[in-house]
Amino acid sequence: MEPGTVLTLTLTPRLHTHFPIPIRAANSNTLFQPRFTLSSHSPSPSSFSAYSYRGPKPKRDFLADWVSQNDDAVRTLPIYVGSASLFAVLLNRALSGIAPVADAGSSQSRADLLTLGLAVTNVLTGLVWLSIRPKSIAVVNPQGVECKRLCTTLPDVARNELLWVWESLSDATCCRSLVIVYESSCVLQIGFAAESSPGDGEAVSVDANKLMQGSVYQGVMKSGAQSYLANLSLYPGKSELPFLPSNTQAVILQPLGDKGIAIIGGDTIRGFTASDQAWITYIGDKLDSTLATYVKHHPLTSQD
């Protein structure tokens, strides 16, 4: 390239604006003045379609959807298939001129016996499907009273975080009761709680010392991992949680380090999903960090 040559480069989009940019050539003191021409054009729809999302997209399982929408018909289908097979075998036997008594030496008789066995199996399968149905899981209304008890000696930042945890869990999950015990003190009891006596409207208070002596608390603290009681009525340890409503369906026991525990009661059997459990684990770590700084051994005070 000769010194003094002017480079002209055109870039899109063009703004119809020319501006010189000096470029010094290698081993030379000569400056080149290239001109970049830019123009402005509104992007066409085809330019967006070229960069549209082309990754994997969720697929619907139409067969599974159809089966779920026609559950009764699917359960009775083996009975119809088995009955039709029995009728076809008997009709074939009657019209084919074969003796009605099964002959082990006849290939037709052996085939008929095998077909009869399969048909009876289909009929029995349909009967089993009709007799065994999954139990429907419904949301229940907690039988108890609402309460809101916070440790009054906690600073505002810790109390606000406790309330934020409750609001987040109650809005995003099936949580209806929350109890947090830390360093032998109940720092939070909120949501629905068992009624101390019928008609008095007072919630059963949490006996932190008694709770910590129970096998439920000891087992969670020993393992150091979250414990999920998906169907609380099946666990004998339910008696160690008398402060929860009597019809609490599911409970998550989340350890807070080695100093406390968060007890989360739900209104649905198996209502906490795997993502809920993972999220609650992170919340427990955050609460442990906060409470380790602020919590003190003081009684709770009811807060309206």
Side-chain angles (χ1 to χ4, degrees), residues 11-118:
L11 302 179
T12 57
R14 293 186 296 272
L15 296 174
H16 299 291
T17 304
H18 301 271
F19 54 92
I21 301 178
I23 300 179
R24 188 178 299 277
N27 302 325
S28 175
N29 294 327
T30 305
L31 293 177
F32 301 103
Q33 302 290 336
R35 291 179 297 173
F36 295 86
T37 305
L38 304 178
S39 65
S40 174
H41 293 288
S42 58
S44 61
S46 59
S47 63
F48 286 107
S49 60
Y51 297 97
S52 60
Y53 177 71
R54 298 181 181 179
K57 298 181 180 179
K59 296 181 179 179
R60 292 186 58 186
D61 191 341
F62 294 98
L63 179 60
D65 293 342
W66 183 86
V67 170
S68 62
Q69 295 171 4
N70 301 272
D71 182 71
D72 293 336
V74 172
R75 290 178 182 275
T76 57
L77 182 61
I79 297 178
Y80 292 121
V81 173
S83 301
S85 301
L86 285 174
F87 178 76
V89 171
L90 296 177
L91 181 63
N92 178 67
R93 190 84 178 180
L95 298 179
S96 61
I98 303 176
V101 179
D103 182 9
S106 171
S107 60
Q108 181 64 39
S109 297
R110 291 194 296 269
D112 290 343
L113 288 175
L114 180 60
T115 305
L116 287 173
L118 295 176

Side-chain angles (χ1 to χ4, degrees), residues 226 228 271-280:
Q226 181 187 99
Y228 180 29
F272 294 100
T273 64
S275 59
D276 293 339
Q277 298 172 50
W279 181 46
I280 290 172

Side-chain angles (χ1 to χ4, degrees), residues 117-142:
L118 295 176
V120 171
T121 301
N122 274 333
V123 173
L124 294 177
T125 300
L127 294 175
V128 170
W129 284 6
L130 287 176
S131 62
I132 302 178
R133 291 177 178 270
K135 183 179 179 180
S136 60
I137 299 176
V139 178
V140 301
N141 295 321

Side-chain angles (χ1 to χ4, degrees), residues 224-236:
Q226 181 187 99
S227 178
Y228 180 29
L229 310 181
N231 190 351
L232 184 61
S233 61
L234 302 179
Y235 294 90

